[in-house]
Each structure stands twice: as structure tokens, then as C-alpha cells.
Amino acid sequence: FCKLDIKESFWRMVVPANEEYNFAYVLPQLDPTQPIQIVVPASLQMGWKHSPPFFCAASETGRDVAEQLASEPVGTLPVHPLEEMMMRDVEPGLLQPVATWPDNDLDTYRQAMTKLLEVYVDDYIALLQCSDPSILRHYSRALLHGIHSVFPPTSVTGHHGGDPISEKKLLDGDGVWAVRKEILGWIFDGVQRTIELPEGKMEKILDMIRPAIRNLRISRSDFRSLMGKLEHATLGIPAGRTLLS
């Protein structure tokens, strides 16, 4: 598994002409005698109901480009400056060249293996049932170039700031290929073929359940919060949703 994140994602989208007034707001001011100032932002803002689908149209396009690039022959994609950050510190023993196919037939193996490239809002997720370093590097390049085709780097835009792909999370190891990875709030284990909640999330749920059981009473807001967390947790339990009936 690997995961790439778009930094400050919504703000990278330019709002269509005349749509920016949906986000206009009055700028707070210390001196009430001064003229009122209204901010009309040109970038996409959080909270507007059209913001998620507008952004997802762009991020899904990046995924489509990445999938198209991944279908190219192995070794034909150009080098990407961030690919080494995805290949660094890969778990010992994970990188194993394909031995069952001739060296010149990696593409036959690539077409036969289980693979998945997906995006959830601004999280790009890749799953490969493969340990060949050439193929992992090929998919790394496809994913990176696919994202940059929609969210170009500063070398293209001329803007100041970092790369649209979060280098901080790359340094933290999110983008490094691993057989065990936290994705969308779940820990996926490719060896055990299981998913589990991170320990911190389990403790938060238990911290809400214990006083509710002890006091036999819970506020409406706490009940709704607890139910939301439990509904999420039931995804990891076969027929778990029936436990909430």
C-alpha cells in the first residue's frame, strides 16, 4: 500500500468567474469607524455544498491520468523528483524482483497482478500485489505524474510554497510502499489480510462507552457522536451494523 495527500487541497482550486461571491465575507476590524471591507476569495473554500464535488472532479481526473500512465510499459515513464521518497526505507524483504517471469516480460506480470489506484477527496491510494522494485517504481511515477497533471508543481505555476503533494506526509512515511498502512482511518494489513482501527481511535470509543454504561445516561450530542464512531467501527465487523439495531 501507499498513500499520497494533496496539501491545502481546496485552496488549490480556482473558483469559476462570478462564483466567488458565494464565499464573500466581512473582514473583522478593530476600528468600527473605518469602512467595511469585504473579502471575495478566488480560491475554493470549505463549507460550501458544491466544494467537495467540484474538487473531486479534479482529483478523480488525476486518478484517471495516473491509471492511464500506469498502463504504459514498465520503464517508459519519466523520472519524477519525488519518487525516491516513495521508495526509501521500504520494509526489508519487501522488494523482490519477479522471478516467475522473464526480465523482459514485466508487463505481462503487471497486467496479471491485482492492482488498485483510487482517490478519496484528496487522498490518493495505491494497492499492488507485487514486490518487484521496477513495477513499484513504475506505479510511483504514474501516481506522481498523474497528480501533477492536475495539481502542477511550483516549477510550472510559478507560485511560492511547497509541492501540491504533501512532502511532510511523504517524510512521515505515508507514501512509502508498505504491507501495513493506515488508510482512511483504518490500518490495512496485506499479510494478515485484515483491517483494524488504530489504537488511539479504539481508546476514544471506549472512553465514551464506559461512562455511558456506568451512568446509564448520555446526552443527546454525546449519543450522536458515539453512534457515528460506532457506525464507522462496524465496517470492520462482519454483520456489525446489525449490532446497532
Side-chain angles (χ1 to χ4, degrees):
F1 306 98
C2 81
K3 180 180 65 173
L4 297 176
D5 181 75
I6 305 299
K7 183 176 64 174
E8 299 168 349
S9 52
F10 277 30
W11 287 7
R12 297 186 180 275
M13 302 293 293
V14 177
V15 178
N18 299 321
E19 294 289 330
E20 61 267 22
Y21 291 99
N22 287 289
F23 310 123
Y25 60 90
V26 176
L27 188 68
Q29 54 193 90
L30 296 175
D31 189 352
T33 63
Q34 294 296 318
I36 294 176
Q37 293 182 310
I38 297 178
V39 178
V40 185
S43 60
L44 193 64
Q45 304 293 301
M46 299 287 289
W48 191 42
K49 68 178 182 179
H50 297 301
S51 291
F54 183 75
F55 175 82
C56 289
S59 61
E60 287 281 359
T61 300
R63 189 215 71 87
D64 293 344
V65 174
E67 190 165 56
Q68 184 177 4
L69 291 173
S71 66
E72 297 292 327
V74 175
T76 59
L77 298 181
V79 175
H80 194 282
L82 297 179
E83 66 181 68
E84 291 301 331
M85 299 180 71
M86 298 179 66
M87 299 295 294
R88 67 176 175 83
D89 299 332
V90 177
E91 298 172 14
L94 178 61
L95 295 182
Q96 299 175 1
V98 175
T100 56
W101 297 89
D103 290 340
N104 61 352
D105 205 12
L106 280 176
D107 287 303
T108 303
Y109 176 84
R110 176 180 58 81
Q111 294 169 8
M113 72 184 187
T114 300
K115 50 191 175 292
L116 181 69
L117 293 180
E118 285 295 343
V119 61
Y120 180 76
V121 189
D122 61 347
D123 286 331
Y124 285 84
I125 303 158
L127 179 154
L128 301 178
Q129 193 176 22
C130 175
S131 59
D132 189 284
S134 299
I135 295 179
L136 291 176
R137 188 176 294 276
H138 177 75
Y139 273 84
S140 298
R141 292 178 180 179
L143 202 55
L144 292 167
H145 284 301
I147 295 173
H148 274 174
S149 70
V150 177
F151 303 99
T154 54
S155 59
V156 174
T157 63
H159 292 161
H160 298 289
D163 196 283
I165 300 172
S166 176
E167 294 186 56
K168 179 181 181 297
K169 293 191 176 182
L170 272 173
L171 290 171
D172 289 342
D174 279 8
V176 176
W177 293 98
V179 296
R180 183 177 170 88
K181 180 80 64 179
E182 182 175 341
I183 300 174
L184 301 180
W186 289 88
I187 297 176
F188 286 74
D189 193 314
V191 175
Q192 301 295 331
R193 300 182 182 182
T194 59
I195 63 172
E196 62 186 82
L197 285 173
E199 186 175 349
K201 289 192 174 183
M202 288 192 291
E203 284 301 322
K204 286 183 178 179
I205 294 176
L206 291 173
D207 287 343
M208 297 183 70
I209 291 176
R210 291 187 188 108
I213 294 176
R214 183 172 60 250
N215 300 327
L216 301 179
R217 186 177 296 273
I218 189 172
S219 69
R220 186 188 300 270
S221 61
D222 287 345
F223 176 74
R224 288 175 174 171
S225 177
L226 176 59
M227 287 300 296
K229 289 180 171 59
L230 290 176
E231 285 178 356
H232 175 70
T234 57
L235 293 173
I237 306 173
R241 192 166 292 273
T242 57
L243 297 174
L244 302 177
S245 63

